[in-house]
Amino acid sequence: MQIQNTLVVKVDSTIINITLDFEHSNLREITIDFKNNILVSNLNKKFKLPELDTKLPNSVTAISYEPTDKPISNQSYTKQLVITAFDHIGAGDVDCN
């Protein structure tokens, strides 16, 4: 489910898209796309995300930063942040007895 642009800009002016992925009525994943490349450490501070290699909250299984098309210097930049609550459960992964 994609959030309307009029609401996205109210969250933060650097964001161009927010997508929420639900599975069985539970929020599975949030994907946030940014207008420009953002330094990962600045992104963590801005949105109060845990630092890399630290323990995640119980409700989060992964936080990933998609790499940019062009690496900038030797620092980590991103244009997309993905926060995953739980992995996808496909039809083959569910045992319905």
PDB file of all heavy atoms in Angstrom, residues 42-73:
ATOM      1  N   ASN A  42      23.604   9.653   9.174  1.00  0.00           N
ATOM      2  CA  ASN A  42      22.691  10.792   9.345  1.00  0.00           C
ATOM      3  C   ASN A  42      21.233  10.330   9.360  1.00  0.00           C
ATOM      4  O   ASN A  42      20.415  10.858  10.105  1.00  0.00           O
ATOM      5  CB  ASN A  42      22.890  11.832   8.252  1.00  0.00           C
ATOM      6  CG  ASN A  42      24.205  12.566   8.390  1.00  0.00           C
ATOM      7  OD1 ASN A  42      24.876  12.487   9.411  1.00  0.00           O
ATOM      8  ND2 ASN A  42      24.590  13.271   7.339  1.00  0.00           N
ATOM      9  N   LEU A  43      20.927   9.346   8.524  1.00  0.00           N
ATOM     10  CA  LEU A  43      19.579   8.787   8.475  1.00  0.00           C
ATOM     11  C   LEU A  43      19.215   8.143   9.816  1.00  0.00           C
ATOM     12  O   LEU A  43      18.120   8.339  10.337  1.00  0.00           O
ATOM     13  CB  LEU A  43      19.497   7.763   7.339  1.00  0.00           C
ATOM     14  CG  LEU A  43      18.160   7.116   7.071  1.00  0.00           C
ATOM     15  CD1 LEU A  43      17.155   8.141   6.588  1.00  0.00           C
ATOM     16  CD2 LEU A  43      18.323   6.020   6.031  1.00  0.00           C
ATOM     17  N   ASN A  44      20.158   7.403  10.383  1.00  0.00           N
ATOM     18  CA  ASN A  44      19.931   6.763  11.684  1.00  0.00           C
ATOM     19  C   ASN A  44      19.639   7.803  12.766  1.00  0.00           C
ATOM     20  O   ASN A  44      18.736   7.619  13.585  1.00  0.00           O
ATOM     21  CB  ASN A  44      21.136   5.917  12.091  1.00  0.00           C
ATOM     22  CG  ASN A  44      21.255   4.656  11.266  1.00  0.00           C
ATOM     23  OD1 ASN A  44      20.317   4.259  10.591  1.00  0.00           O
ATOM     24  ND2 ASN A  44      22.413   4.031  11.303  1.00  0.00           N
ATOM     25  N   LYS A  45      20.396   8.877  12.763  1.00  0.00           N
ATOM     26  CA  LYS A  45      20.183   9.939  13.758  1.00  0.00           C
ATOM     27  C   LYS A  45      18.833  10.630  13.538  1.00  0.00           C
ATOM     28  O   LYS A  45      18.081  10.851  14.481  1.00  0.00           O
ATOM     29  CB  LYS A  45      21.302  10.971  13.674  1.00  0.00           C
ATOM     30  CG  LYS A  45      22.613  10.480  14.202  1.00  0.00           C
ATOM     31  CD  LYS A  45      23.702  11.518  14.001  1.00  0.00           C
ATOM     32  CE  LYS A  45      25.053  10.898  14.268  1.00  0.00           C
ATOM     33  NZ  LYS A  45      26.137  11.747  13.826  1.00  0.00           N
ATOM     34  N   LYS A  46      18.553  10.958  12.285  1.00  0.00           N
ATOM     35  CA  LYS A  46      17.335  11.702  11.951  1.00  0.00           C
ATOM     36  C   LYS A  46      16.070  10.960  12.378  1.00  0.00           C
ATOM     37  O   LYS A  46      15.136  11.546  12.912  1.00  0.00           O
ATOM     38  CB  LYS A  46      17.313  11.971  10.448  1.00  0.00           C
ATOM     39  CG  LYS A  46      16.160  12.814   9.986  1.00  0.00           C
ATOM     40  CD  LYS A  46      16.313  13.087   8.494  1.00  0.00           C
ATOM     41  CE  LYS A  46      15.402  14.213   8.103  1.00  0.00           C
ATOM     42  NZ  LYS A  46      15.663  14.730   6.778  1.00  0.00           N
ATOM     43  N   PHE A  47      16.041   9.652  12.131  1.00  0.00           N
ATOM     44  CA  PHE A  47      14.848   8.859  12.425  1.00  0.00           C
ATOM     45  C   PHE A  47      14.999   7.994  13.681  1.00  0.00           C
ATOM     46  O   PHE A  47      14.192   7.104  13.932  1.00  0.00           O
ATOM     47  CB  PHE A  47      14.466   8.002  11.216  1.00  0.00           C
ATOM     48  CG  PHE A  47      14.021   8.826  10.047  1.00  0.00           C
ATOM     49  CD1 PHE A  47      14.851   9.018   8.954  1.00  0.00           C
ATOM     50  CD2 PHE A  47      12.784   9.453  10.043  1.00  0.00           C
ATOM     51  CE1 PHE A  47      14.457   9.796   7.874  1.00  0.00           C
ATOM     52  CE2 PHE A  47      12.381  10.234   8.978  1.00  0.00           C
ATOM     53  CZ  PHE A  47      13.218  10.406   7.889  1.00  0.00           C
ATOM     54  N   LYS A  48      16.058   8.253  14.435  1.00  0.00           N
ATOM     55  CA  LYS A  48      16.309   7.549  15.704  1.00  0.00           C
ATOM     56  C   LYS A  48      16.328   6.034  15.529  1.00  0.00           C
ATOM     57  O   LYS A  48      15.726   5.283  16.310  1.00  0.00           O
ATOM     58  CB  LYS A  48      15.302   7.978  16.759  1.00  0.00           C
ATOM     59  CG  LYS A  48      15.416   9.456  17.073  1.00  0.00           C
ATOM     60  CD  LYS A  48      14.429   9.896  18.114  1.00  0.00           C
ATOM     61  CE  LYS A  48      14.661  11.378  18.356  1.00  0.00           C
ATOM     62  NZ  LYS A  48      13.583  12.060  18.952  1.00  0.00           N
ATOM     63  N   LEU A  49      17.017   5.599  14.492  1.00  0.00           N
ATOM     64  CA  LEU A  49      17.172   4.165  14.229  1.00  0.00           C
ATOM     65  C   LEU A  49      18.378   3.647  14.997  1.00  0.00           C
ATOM     66  O   LEU A  49      19.320   4.394  15.258  1.00  0.00           O
ATOM     67  CB  LEU A  49      17.375   3.924  12.732  1.00  0.00           C
ATOM     68  CG  LEU A  49      16.218   4.338  11.831  1.00  0.00           C
ATOM     69  CD1 LEU A  49      16.635   4.238  10.374  1.00  0.00           C
ATOM     70  CD2 LEU A  49      15.004   3.481  12.096  1.00  0.00           C
ATOM     71  N   PRO A  50      18.379   2.363  15.344  1.00  0.00           N
ATOM     72  CA  PRO A  50      19.542   1.817  16.044  1.00  0.00           C
ATOM     73  C   PRO A  50      20.770   1.843  15.136  1.00  0.00           C
ATOM     74  O   PRO A  50      20.658   1.723  13.915  1.00  0.00           O
ATOM     75  CB  PRO A  50      19.138   0.381  16.380  1.00  0.00           C
ATOM     76  CG  PRO A  50      17.917   0.095  15.594  1.00  0.00           C
ATOM     77  CD  PRO A  50      17.334   1.382  15.138  1.00  0.00           C
ATOM     78  N   GLU A  51      21.912   2.030  15.729  1.00  0.00           N
ATOM     79  CA  GLU A  51      23.160   2.015  14.968  1.00  0.00           C
ATOM     80  C   GLU A  51      23.377   0.630  14.367  1.00  0.00           C
ATOM     81  O   GLU A  51      22.851  -0.365  14.873  1.00  0.00           O
ATOM     82  CB  GLU A  51      24.340   2.382  15.867  1.00  0.00           C
ATOM     83  CG  GLU A  51      24.309   3.819  16.336  1.00  0.00           C
ATOM     84  CD  GLU A  51      24.434   4.835  15.199  1.00  0.00           C
ATOM     85  OE1 GLU A  51      25.189   4.587  14.248  1.00  0.00           O
ATOM     86  OE2 GLU A  51      23.760   5.872  15.270  1.00  0.00           O
ATOM     87  N   LEU A  52      24.161   0.589  13.303  1.00  0.00           N
ATOM     88  CA  LEU A  52      24.480  -0.693  12.676  1.00  0.00           C
ATOM     89  C   LEU A  52      25.141  -1.612  13.697  1.00  0.00           C
ATOM     90  O   LEU A  52      25.853  -1.169  14.578  1.00  0.00           O
ATOM     91  CB  LEU A  52      25.418  -0.474  11.488  1.00  0.00           C
ATOM     92  CG  LEU A  52      24.848   0.361  10.346  1.00  0.00           C
ATOM     93  CD1 LEU A  52      25.929   0.635   9.310  1.00  0.00           C
ATOM     94  CD2 LEU A  52      23.665  -0.330   9.704  1.00  0.00           C
ATOM     95  N   ASP A  53      24.891  -2.886  13.573  1.00  0.00           N
ATOM     96  CA  ASP A  53      25.465  -3.920  14.439  1.00  0.00           C
ATOM     97  C   ASP A  53      25.030  -3.806  15.899  1.00  0.00           C
ATOM     98  O   ASP A  53      25.754  -4.204  16.802  1.00  0.00           O
ATOM     99  CB  ASP A  53      26.999  -3.911  14.367  1.00  0.00           C
ATOM    100  CG  ASP A  53      27.502  -4.161  12.956  1.00  0.00           C
ATOM    101  OD1 ASP A  53      26.861  -4.949  12.229  1.00  0.00           O
ATOM    102  OD2 ASP A  53      28.525  -3.577  12.581  1.00  0.00           O
ATOM    103  N   THR A  54      23.863  -3.249  16.136  1.00  0.00           N
ATOM    104  CA  THR A  54      23.319  -3.231  17.495  1.00  0.00           C
ATOM    105  C   THR A  54      22.025  -4.034  17.507  1.00  0.00           C
ATOM    106  O   THR A  54      21.454  -4.337  16.462  1.00  0.00           O
ATOM    107  CB  THR A  54      23.031  -1.799  17.997  1.00  0.00           C
ATOM    108  OG1 THR A  54      22.069  -1.186  17.147  1.00  0.00           O
ATOM    109  CG2 THR A  54      24.291  -0.961  18.058  1.00  0.00           C
ATOM    110  N   LYS A  55      21.566  -4.352  18.686  1.00  0.00           N
ATOM    111  CA  LYS A  55      20.348  -5.149  18.825  1.00  0.00           C
ATOM    112  C   LYS A  55      19.133  -4.352  18.344  1.00  0.00           C
ATOM    113  O   LYS A  55      18.967  -3.186  18.686  1.00  0.00           O
ATOM    114  CB  LYS A  55      20.169  -5.564  20.273  1.00  0.00           C
ATOM    115  CG  LYS A  55      19.022  -6.519  20.459  1.00  0.00           C
ATOM    116  CD  LYS A  55      18.917  -7.025  21.860  1.00  0.00           C
ATOM    117  CE  LYS A  55      17.732  -7.960  21.860  1.00  0.00           C
ATOM    118  NZ  LYS A  55      17.273  -8.379  23.093  1.00  0.00           N
ATOM    119  N   LEU A  56      18.292  -5.013  17.567  1.00  0.00           N
ATOM    120  CA  LEU A  56      17.069  -4.386  17.060  1.00  0.00           C
ATOM    121  C   LEU A  56      15.933  -4.558  18.057  1.00  0.00           C
ATOM    122  O   LEU A  56      15.934  -5.502  18.844  1.00  0.00           O
ATOM    123  CB  LEU A  56      16.674  -5.032  15.729  1.00  0.00           C
ATOM    124  CG  LEU A  56      17.657  -4.872  14.578  1.00  0.00           C
ATOM    125  CD1 LEU A  56      17.210  -5.720  13.387  1.00  0.00           C
ATOM    126  CD2 LEU A  56      17.788  -3.420  14.175  1.00  0.00           C
ATOM    127  N   PRO A  57      14.942  -3.679  18.006  1.00  0.00           N
ATOM    128  CA  PRO A  57      13.753  -3.876  18.849  1.00  0.00           C
ATOM    129  C   PRO A  57      13.090  -5.209  18.523  1.00  0.00           C
ATOM    130  O   PRO A  57      13.234  -5.737  17.413  1.00  0.00           O
ATOM    131  CB  PRO A  57      12.846  -2.712  18.450  1.00  0.00           C
ATOM    132  CG  PRO A  57      13.731  -1.712  17.800  1.00  0.00           C
ATOM    133  CD  PRO A  57      14.865  -2.480  17.189  1.00  0.00           C
ATOM    134  N   ASN A  58      12.350  -5.763  19.459  1.00  0.00           N
ATOM    135  CA  ASN A  58      11.713  -7.074  19.268  1.00  0.00           C
ATOM    136  C   ASN A  58      10.780  -7.115  18.070  1.00  0.00           C
ATOM    137  O   ASN A  58      10.588  -8.167  17.459  1.00  0.00           O
ATOM    138  CB  ASN A  58      10.939  -7.478  20.521  1.00  0.00           C
ATOM    139  CG  ASN A  58      11.866  -7.801  21.666  1.00  0.00           C
ATOM    140  OD1 ASN A  58      13.021  -8.152  21.462  1.00  0.00           O
ATOM    141  ND2 ASN A  58      11.374  -7.656  22.883  1.00  0.00           N
ATOM    142  N   SER A  59      10.171  -5.994  17.716  1.00  0.00           N
ATOM    143  CA  SER A  59       9.209  -5.969  16.615  1.00  0.00           C
ATOM    144  C   SER A  59       9.857  -5.803  15.246  1.00  0.00           C
ATOM    145  O   SER A  59       9.174  -5.773  14.230  1.00  0.00           O
ATOM    146  CB  SER A  59       8.195  -4.846  16.837  1.00  0.00           C
ATOM    147  OG  SER A  59       8.879  -3.610  16.932  1.00  0.00           O
ATOM    148  N   VAL A  60      11.192  -5.732  15.195  1.00  0.00           N
ATOM    149  CA  VAL A  60      11.916  -5.528  13.927  1.00  0.00           C
ATOM    150  C   VAL A  60      12.910  -6.663  13.736  1.00  0.00           C
ATOM    151  O   VAL A  60      13.713  -6.949  14.615  1.00  0.00           O
ATOM    152  CB  VAL A  60      12.657  -4.167  13.932  1.00  0.00           C
ATOM    153  CG1 VAL A  60      13.490  -3.992  12.673  1.00  0.00           C
ATOM    154  CG2 VAL A  60      11.681  -3.019  14.104  1.00  0.00           C
ATOM    155  N   THR A  61      12.848  -7.309  12.551  1.00  0.00           N
ATOM    156  CA  THR A  61      13.805  -8.381  12.272  1.00  0.00           C
ATOM    157  C   THR A  61      14.987  -7.890  11.440  1.00  0.00           C
ATOM    158  O   THR A  61      16.047  -8.498  11.469  1.00  0.00           O
ATOM    159  CB  THR A  61      13.150  -9.566  11.541  1.00  0.00           C
ATOM    160  OG1 THR A  61      12.599  -9.109  10.312  1.00  0.00           O
ATOM    161  CG2 THR A  61      12.078 -10.211  12.394  1.00  0.00           C
ATOM    162  N   ALA A  62      14.789  -6.785  10.696  1.00  0.00           N
ATOM    163  CA  ALA A  62      15.888  -6.283   9.864  1.00  0.00           C
ATOM    164  C   ALA A  62      15.669  -4.826   9.489  1.00  0.00           C
ATOM    165  O   ALA A  62      14.527  -4.381   9.311  1.00  0.00           O
ATOM    166  CB  ALA A  62      16.011  -7.119   8.595  1.00  0.00           C
ATOM    167  N   ILE A  63      16.773  -4.105   9.377  1.00  0.00           N
ATOM    168  CA  ILE A  63      16.783  -2.761   8.819  1.00  0.00           C
ATOM    169  C   ILE A  63      17.846  -2.792   7.733  1.00  0.00           C
ATOM    170  O   ILE A  63      18.988  -3.163   7.989  1.00  0.00           O
ATOM    171  CB  ILE A  63      17.136  -1.692   9.870  1.00  0.00           C
ATOM    172  CG1 ILE A  63      16.066  -1.642  10.961  1.00  0.00           C
ATOM    173  CG2 ILE A  63      17.306  -0.330   9.208  1.00  0.00           C
ATOM    174  CD1 ILE A  63      16.372  -0.692  12.106  1.00  0.00           C
ATOM    175  N   SER A  64      17.439  -2.452   6.515  1.00  0.00           N
ATOM    176  CA  SER A  64      18.412  -2.475   5.420  1.00  0.00           C
ATOM    177  C   SER A  64      18.402  -1.155   4.672  1.00  0.00           C
ATOM    178  O   SER A  64      17.386  -0.465   4.601  1.00  0.00           O
ATOM    179  CB  SER A  64      18.148  -3.635   4.466  1.00  0.00           C
ATOM    180  OG  SER A  64      16.857  -3.556   3.916  1.00  0.00           O
ATOM    181  N   TYR A  65      19.562  -0.830   4.146  1.00  0.00           N
ATOM    182  CA  TYR A  65      19.764   0.400   3.397  1.00  0.00           C
ATOM    183  C   TYR A  65      20.194  -0.007   1.998  1.00  0.00           C
ATOM    184  O   TYR A  65      21.257  -0.596   1.830  1.00  0.00           O
ATOM    185  CB  TYR A  65      20.860   1.237   4.054  1.00  0.00           C
ATOM    186  CG  TYR A  65      20.635   1.455   5.536  1.00  0.00           C
ATOM    187  CD1 TYR A  65      21.164   0.562   6.471  1.00  0.00           C
ATOM    188  CD2 TYR A  65      19.889   2.519   5.989  1.00  0.00           C
ATOM    189  CE1 TYR A  65      20.953   0.752   7.831  1.00  0.00           C
ATOM    190  CE2 TYR A  65      19.673   2.713   7.349  1.00  0.00           C
ATOM    191  CZ  TYR A  65      20.211   1.821   8.258  1.00  0.00           C
ATOM    192  OH  TYR A  65      19.993   2.019   9.596  1.00  0.00           O
ATOM    193  N   GLU A  66      19.346   0.252   1.025  1.00  0.00           N
ATOM    194  CA  GLU A  66      19.668  -0.139  -0.336  1.00  0.00           C
ATOM    195  C   GLU A  66      20.782   0.762  -0.859  1.00  0.00           C
ATOM    196  O   GLU A  66      20.742   1.978  -0.670  1.00  0.00           O
ATOM    197  CB  GLU A  66      18.430  -0.036  -1.220  1.00  0.00           C
ATOM    198  CG  GLU A  66      17.300  -0.952  -0.768  1.00  0.00           C
ATOM    199  CD  GLU A  66      17.686  -2.422  -0.689  1.00  0.00           C
ATOM    200  OE1 GLU A  66      18.388  -2.923  -1.580  1.00  0.00           O
ATOM    201  OE2 GLU A  66      17.299  -3.074   0.287  1.00  0.00           O
ATOM    202  N   PRO A  67      21.777   0.178  -1.486  1.00  0.00           N
ATOM    203  CA  PRO A  67      22.898   0.997  -1.974  1.00  0.00           C
ATOM    204  C   PRO A  67      22.458   1.937  -3.095  1.00  0.00           C
ATOM    205  O   PRO A  67      21.483   1.675  -3.798  1.00  0.00           O
ATOM    206  CB  PRO A  67      23.901  -0.038  -2.475  1.00  0.00           C
ATOM    207  CG  PRO A  67      23.113  -1.275  -2.703  1.00  0.00           C
ATOM    208  CD  PRO A  67      21.921  -1.222  -1.799  1.00  0.00           C
ATOM    209  N   THR A  68      23.198   3.012  -3.246  1.00  0.00           N
ATOM    210  CA  THR A  68      22.922   3.960  -4.317  1.00  0.00           C
ATOM    211  C   THR A  68      23.499   3.438  -5.626  1.00  0.00           C
ATOM    212  O   THR A  68      24.301   2.509  -5.637  1.00  0.00           O
ATOM    213  CB  THR A  68      23.543   5.332  -4.007  1.00  0.00           C
ATOM    214  OG1 THR A  68      24.952   5.152  -3.881  1.00  0.00           O
ATOM    215  CG2 THR A  68      22.977   5.929  -2.745  1.00  0.00           C
ATOM    216  N   ASP A  69      23.082   4.048  -6.731  1.00  0.00           N
ATOM    217  CA  ASP A  69      23.601   3.643  -8.041  1.00  0.00           C
ATOM    218  C   ASP A  69      25.101   3.916  -8.146  1.00  0.00           C
ATOM    219  O   ASP A  69      25.841   3.154  -8.733  1.00  0.00           O
ATOM    220  CB  ASP A  69      22.878   4.400  -9.161  1.00  0.00           C
ATOM    221  CG  ASP A  69      21.409   4.026  -9.222  1.00  0.00           C
ATOM    222  OD1 ASP A  69      21.062   2.928  -8.771  1.00  0.00           O
ATOM    223  OD2 ASP A  69      20.618   4.844  -9.713  1.00  0.00           O
ATOM    224  N   LYS A  70      25.529   5.037  -7.577  1.00  0.00           N
ATOM    225  CA  LYS A  70      26.935   5.417  -7.637  1.00  0.00           C
ATOM    226  C   LYS A  70      27.468   5.585  -6.221  1.00  0.00           C
ATOM    227  O   LYS A  70      26.977   6.421  -5.477  1.00  0.00           O
ATOM    228  CB  LYS A  70      27.092   6.750  -8.371  1.00  0.00           C
ATOM    229  CG  LYS A  70      26.593   6.736  -9.782  1.00  0.00           C
ATOM    230  CD  LYS A  70      26.751   8.115 -10.389  1.00  0.00           C
ATOM    231  CE  LYS A  70      25.620   8.353 -11.356  1.00  0.00           C
ATOM    232  NZ  LYS A  70      25.464   9.703 -11.774  1.00  0.00           N
ATOM    233  N   PRO A  71      28.491   4.802  -5.862  1.00  0.00           N
ATOM    234  CA  PRO A  71      29.079   4.994  -4.534  1.00  0.00           C
ATOM    235  C   PRO A  71      29.690   6.391  -4.425  1.00  0.00           C
ATOM    236  O   PRO A  71      30.258   6.901  -5.369  1.00  0.00           O
ATOM    237  CB  PRO A  71      30.166   3.921  -4.459  1.00  0.00           C
ATOM    238  CG  PRO A  71      29.907   2.997  -5.586  1.00  0.00           C
ATOM    239  CD  PRO A  71      29.087   3.722  -6.595  1.00  0.00           C
ATOM    240  N   ILE A  72      29.522   7.008  -3.261  1.00  0.00           N
ATOM    241  CA  ILE A  72      30.072   8.331  -3.013  1.00  0.00           C
ATOM    242  C   ILE A  72      31.152   8.190  -1.952  1.00  0.00           C
ATOM    243  O   ILE A  72      30.854   7.808  -0.831  1.00  0.00           O
ATOM    244  CB  ILE A  72      28.972   9.300  -2.537  1.00  0.00           C
ATOM    245  CG1 ILE A  72      27.854   9.354  -3.576  1.00  0.00           C
ATOM    246  CG2 ILE A  72      29.534  10.679  -2.262  1.00  0.00           C
ATOM    247  CD1 ILE A  72      26.628  10.076  -3.113  1.00  0.00           C
ATOM    248  N   SER A  73      32.384   8.462  -2.315  1.00  0.00           N
ATOM    249  CA  SER A  73      33.551   8.308  -1.440  1.00  0.00           C
ATOM    250  C   SER A  73      33.532   6.918  -0.807  1.00  0.00           C
ATOM    251  O   SER A  73      33.092   5.961  -1.396  1.00  0.00           O
ATOM    252  CB  SER A  73      33.622   9.432  -0.412  1.00  0.00           C
ATOM    253  OG  SER A  73      32.584   9.304   0.527  1.00  0.00           O
TER     254      SER A  73
END
